[in-house]
Amino acid sequence: MKFCSNCAAPVVKRVPPGDSLPRWVCDQCGEIHYENPRLVVGSLPEWDGRLLLCRRAIEPRYGYWTLPAGFMENDETAGQAALRETLEESGARVELGAPFSLISVPHVNQVHLFFCARLLEPDFKPGDETLEVALFDEAKLPWKDIAFRTVGLTLRHWFADRKRGAFSFHAEDIAPR
Amino acid sequence: MKFCSNCAAPVVKRVPPGDSLPRWVCDQCGEIHYENPRLVVGSLPEWDGRLLLCRRAIEPRYGYWTLPAGFMENDETAGQAALRETLEESGARVELGAPFSLISVPHVNQVHLFFCARLLEPDFKPGDETLEVALFDEAKLPWKDIAFRTVGLTLRHWFADRKRGAFSFHAEDIAPR
């Protein structure tokens, strides 16, 4: 059972007039409670040809490696979200470049966005949600222990683009396994 | 006053332990109700060098011209959202190209994403939220009656890119006026 956040009455899931999808509707105050995908924003922090990864200290995927990233917050831009998450998770200060990948993950109602980034100095330390932080070149990267498919895909594109000498923007979708 | 959608108890806005931002927190069931930016996704439907615009039949910006776009829904990819909104608002079937612009609008907690697109046939008609639909070349475009700054910015980039013969990806932020 769910309740209206405006008036505390129970809500029901049905298609409102003029709409085509079921929504949580409050018959007491009339409010329609929409649910929309969330943006997860992060960065690809580079130093001397290596990329900075964080080993997760939280679920999901405790102990696996990821790029610094997290849910975009209200009142910030996508770039500010990437800088904030990078600093929070890895202690690293970066200069952002262009957006590099945008990946829809519809089965979890997320869109992941990663920016190219350059470490301002080779200085980092794990934040509260991180066990360890390290720089990896392509050969040493823990490819089998990457936390999320969006991160693995983004990393593969990044090293492939670097090999051919030009970074481009990658838009993709990920389907359930 | 706001209420918990899980248990109907009143919620309070405060910084949860280990967090850095105030959230709506339920002291009865412990749920934290996060609020995050929403994605508005649309397309730039092109036919023979002209772009398709829709005149809005709803607020905000009733009567002003916009690209077909709307809130991305759960269970869909960004590309599916662009196709759906284009069809709903303009009756147009398009083939999507690459993402063209990604614009953060932090003061309304939105990120706008527009895809390049090509009309499959010059066939369109206004949907319920649209007064009229028309194709415009750059000179005839109603530049002074564009509904949203993200749309105006995206249109200017598109015609500028077309002039120089190459479409690239544009990431920007829009500040309050």
Side-chain angles (χ1 to χ4, degrees):
Chain A
M1 190 156 188
K2 275 176 73 81
F3 300 91
C4 178
S5 55
N6 282 347
C7 76
V11 290
V12 291
K13 201 152 201 177
R14 61 176 158 73
V15 180
D19 204 337
S20 57
L21 292 170
R23 316 284 183 185
W24 290 105
V25 177
C26 178
D27 285 320
Q28 179 162 302
C29 74
E31 184 77 18
I32 302 170
H33 299 277
Y34 295 96
E35 294 175 325
N36 299 89
R38 291 198 288 177
L39 270 161
V40 172
V41 182
S43 77
L44 287 141
E46 185 257 341
W47 180 263
D48 201 17
R50 293 176 297 164
L51 284 180
L52 179 146
L53 296 181
C54 300
R55 201 154 76 85
R56 289 172 65 82
I58 51 169
E59 295 293 351
R61 308 294 275 155
Y62 181 99
Y64 286 80
W65 290 90
T66 188
L67 289 164
F71 289 112
M72 184 174 168
E73 300 278 5
N74 279 354
D75 303 316
E76 67 183 0
T77 65
Q80 287 167 343
L83 291 173
R84 179 183 51 74
E85 288 290 347
T86 304
L87 186 62
E88 281 177 12
E89 300 195 345
S90 72
R93 294 175 55 240
V94 298
E95 176 180 65
L96 284 193
F100 179 72
S101 65
L102 180 83
I103 307 172
S104 293
V105 196
H107 55 287
V108 294
N109 301 316
Q110 294 179 1
V111 176
H112 291 203
L113 171 67
F114 292 95
F115 286 81
C116 290
R118 204 176 51 81
L119 283 177
L120 295 177
E121 64 255 317
D123 199 16
F124 41 79
K125 60 167 197 296
D128 292 343
E129 302 183 353
T130 305
L131 296 171
E132 56 179 311
V133 182
L135 290 169
F136 293 100
D137 60 28
E138 187 174 6
K140 298 250 179 67
L141 206 135
W143 290 105
K144 293 189 170 163
D145 294 316
I146 298 299
F148 305 109
R149 283 192 288 161
T150 57
V151 172
L153 192 56
T154 295
L155 291 171
R156 288 194 298 278
H157 280 311
W158 193 88
F159 284 106
D161 278 14
R162 201 190 49 166
K163 204 160 287 173
R164 66 182 177 84
F167 290 93
S168 60
F169 178 70
H170 301 267
E172 311 226 3
D173 303 325
I174 280 187
R177 278 188 203 277
Chain B
M1 191 156 188
K2 275 176 74 81
F3 301 92
C4 178
S5 57
N6 282 347
C7 75
V11 289
V12 291
K13 201 154 201 178
R14 61 175 159 73
V15 181
D19 203 337
S20 56
L21 291 170
R23 317 284 183 183
W24 290 106
V25 177
C26 177
D27 286 319
Q28 181 161 302
C29 74
E31 182 77 18
I32 302 171
H33 300 277
Y34 294 95
E35 294 175 325
N36 298 89
R38 291 198 289 176
L39 269 162
V40 171
V41 182
S43 77
L44 288 140
E46 186 258 341
W47 180 263
D48 202 16
R50 291 176 299 165
L51 285 180
L52 179 145
L53 297 182
C54 299
R55 200 153 78 83
R56 288 172 66 80
I58 52 168
E59 295 292 352
R61 307 294 276 160
Y62 180 100
Y64 286 79
W65 291 90
T66 189
L67 290 164
F71 288 110
M72 183 173 169
E73 300 278 5
N74 279 355
D75 303 317
E76 68 183 359
T77 65
Q80 288 167 342
L83 291 172
R84 178 183 51 73
E85 288 289 346
T86 303
L87 186 62
E88 282 177 11
E89 300 195 344
S90 72
R93 292 175 55 240
V94 299
E95 177 180 65
L96 284 192
F100 180 71
S101 65
L102 181 84
I103 307 172
S104 293
V105 196
H107 55 287
V108 293
N109 300 318
Q110 293 178 2
V111 175
H112 291 204
L113 172 67
F114 292 95
F115 286 81
C116 291
R118 204 176 52 80
L119 283 176
L120 296 176
E121 64 255 317
D123 201 15
F124 41 80
K125 60 167 197 299
D128 291 343
E129 302 183 351
T130 305
L131 296 171
E132 56 180 312
V133 182
L135 290 169
F136 293 100
D137 60 26
E138 186 174 6
K140 296 253 180 65
L141 204 136
W143 290 104
K144 292 189 172 163
D145 295 315
I146 298 298
F148 305 108
R149 283 191 287 163
T150 56
V151 172
L153 191 57
T154 296
L155 291 170
R156 288 195 298 276
H157 280 311
W158 193 89
F159 285 107
D161 278 12
R162 202 189 49 165
K163 203 161 287 172
R164 67 181 177 85
F167 290 93
S168 60
F169 178 70
H170 301 268
E172 311 226 1
D173 304 324
I174 279 187
R177 278 187 204 277

